[in-house]
Amino acid sequence: MTCTKELRFEWMDALHGAAAILVLIRHYFRIAALGPFAAHIDPGTMGVVAFFCISGYIIPWSVLHAPTTVLQFATARAFRLYPAYWVSLILAVVAAPVAAHVLLANITMAQRFMGVYDVVGVYWTLQIEMMFYAIIAVLMLSGKVADPRASLSCLLGLCVLSILLAIPRAVLSVKTPVAPAFSLVVMFASFVFYHHRHAGFLSAGRLWCLLSGVGAVMVGCFLLAYRKDWGFGETPLRFVLGYAVGVALFILFMRFDIKARALCWLGSISYPLYLIHVPVREIIVGLMPSLGEIPSALLGIPATIALAVVIHRGVELPFNRLGKRWIARYRAPRLKAEPEAIPLD
């Protein structure tokens, strides 16, 4: 997507670009090596949370502003996500071959639901996107997707689920899957905010009280779920800061309508960039194992951007157009041009 006057959310593409930069920083530089407090700073979490905020806002917009059935919605999302994803999977297997059953599971993008690990670590966010789409599809089938009370009920239910998953981690040292619940809370908070802005749902004061309460619940969940390190340098402060900055970026870009051209351009390729930056890094490290962190970044980041441009133009855009043409054959109204949601993301 490019920044044009035809689209309503130009700031969102710029935010995609900013979030992509944060994710690149996370995987190309060792932030924790900069000092004790730096261990609590995770640019990757900040970027991913910003991506989740975008999805929670733009997916309802796309559903509510075009005549869409569940099948058409699923088809549009599949054409949007899978082609570039499969290209990144090929790169990942080139970087580090995997067993056939692992590859086959990853092809579906539902590997975690099958108990199979992600070939590329960042794929976990795509499966959370799929969970969000599934809930949206249920709301569509029940005729509730336009009802603000339904999105509010989902938000409150996910807050309860987050608490129920966080407590066993703290009390029983059981590694429950808290990340999907925490991420979906962010997405549905953004969905409720969408209803506030576009349907007048809740007064500004009530919305502030609601979202403040949700934030307090999430802080409590972080304290419970990450009171011990589960092997990835996790601390409560790291997640509090990561989620707070990600949400703040979403609000700032929206409030001040930030749409810098460079960020917009980077945002247009942010989905393939997000998918391939780790495989590209691994290929470079495999070819030149003695290369240091800074030289690897100076070589890997431009290479990632260049390849993302190729995938965007040669794979992502053609399949997006193909998907819209395919859907248009089976209904009278054509798909409207819409901003694309990225899972990163």
Side-chain angles (χ1 to χ4, degrees):
M1 183 178 71
T2 56
C3 287
T4 70
K5 294 300 182 182
E6 296 176 0
L7 303 181
R8 295 180 55 185
F9 304 119
E10 295 175 333
W11 58 268
M12 201 171 286
D13 209 11
L15 180 55
H16 280 144
I21 290 172
L22 289 170
V23 173
L24 282 174
I25 291 172
R26 166 65 177 83
H27 291 120
Y28 272 97
F29 301 99
R30 292 175 296 171
I31 302 298
L34 299 179
F37 185 74
H40 302 292
I41 298 175
D42 185 356
T45 298
M46 298 170 187
V48 166
V49 169
F51 281 134
F52 285 148
C53 287
I54 293 170
S55 288
Y57 194 92
I58 200 60
I59 293 299
W61 186 93
S62 67
V63 168
L64 295 173
H65 285 75
T68 305
T69 67
V70 170
L71 179 58
Q72 291 159 351
F73 170 67
T75 301
R77 291 292 91 198
F79 274 94
R80 173 74 178 94
L81 298 182
Y82 276 100
Y85 170 81
W86 287 330
V87 173
S88 75
L89 188 55
I90 292 171
L91 286 174
V93 173
V94 169
V98 298
H101 77 281
V102 174
L103 177 59
L104 290 173
N106 274 261
I107 287 173
T108 68
M109 204 187 286
Q111 56 272 12
R112 288 202 171 202
F113 304 129
M114 305 176 193
V116 177
Y117 68 88
D118 299 316
V119 171
V120 179
V122 300
Y123 287 172
W124 70 272
T125 62
L126 303 180
Q127 288 151 89
I128 292 175
E129 288 278 342
M130 292 175 67
M131 294 170 69
F132 181 63
Y133 299 161
I135 299 173
I136 293 295
V138 171
L139 293 177
M140 293 171 67
L141 286 170
S142 62
K144 298 289 187 181
V145 71
D147 185 352
R149 295 169 298 181
S151 60
L152 176 59
S153 296
C154 289
L155 173 60
L156 297 178
L158 287 162
C159 285
V160 172
L161 178 61
S162 296
I163 295 169
L164 294 178
L165 289 172
I167 288 174
R169 281 197 167 210
V171 177
L172 303 174
S173 291
V174 175
K175 192 176 181 181
T176 51
V178 293
F182 293 175
S183 303
L184 287 168
V185 166
V186 171
M187 298 169 93
F188 274 95
S190 186
F191 192 0
V192 170
F193 182 61
Y194 167 86
H195 278 305
H196 168 73
R197 289 197 83 203
H198 296 276
F201 179 58
L202 299 177
S203 65
R206 289 183 177 181
L207 180 72
W208 173 253
C209 289
L210 169 68
L211 296 183
S212 296
V214 170
V217 167
M218 296 308 296
V219 169
C221 287
F222 296 147
L223 292 172
L224 290 170
Y226 301 110
R227 61 183 297 177
K228 74 174 231 181
D229 182 3
W230 293 88
F232 298 96
E234 298 162 327
T235 68
L237 181 57
R238 178 178 169 181
F239 284 89
V240 170
L241 289 175
Y243 275 65
V245 171
V247 172
L249 286 172
F250 177 77
I251 294 171
L252 288 172
F253 273 71
M254 176 187 292
R255 174 67 179 82
F256 296 104
D257 195 22
I258 298 173
K259 46 192 177 186
R261 293 183 66 85
L263 289 178
C264 282
W265 179 80
L266 194 60
S268 71
I269 62 168
S270 57
Y271 180 50
L273 187 150
Y274 179 79
L275 292 173
I276 68 170
H277 73 278
V278 172
V280 169
R281 182 198 65 189
E282 294 304 313
I283 290 172
I284 290 173
V285 171
L287 292 174
M288 294 174 282
S290 62
L291 207 60
E293 176 185 313
I294 301 300
S296 294
L298 292 176
L299 181 59
I301 291 176
T304 298
I305 292 173
L307 186 54
V309 170
V310 172
I311 295 171
H312 173 66
R313 295 179 179 175
V315 177
E316 190 177 18
L317 290 180
F319 275 95
N320 283 348
R321 290 192 290 265
L322 178 62
K324 290 182 179 182
R325 285 198 300 270
W326 190 88
I327 293 170
R329 292 180 182 178
Y330 298 95
R331 70 175 179 192
R334 292 184 61 85
L335 278 174
K336 295 182 180 179
E338 64 179 77
E340 297 290 354
I342 305 279
L344 30 278
D345 268 37

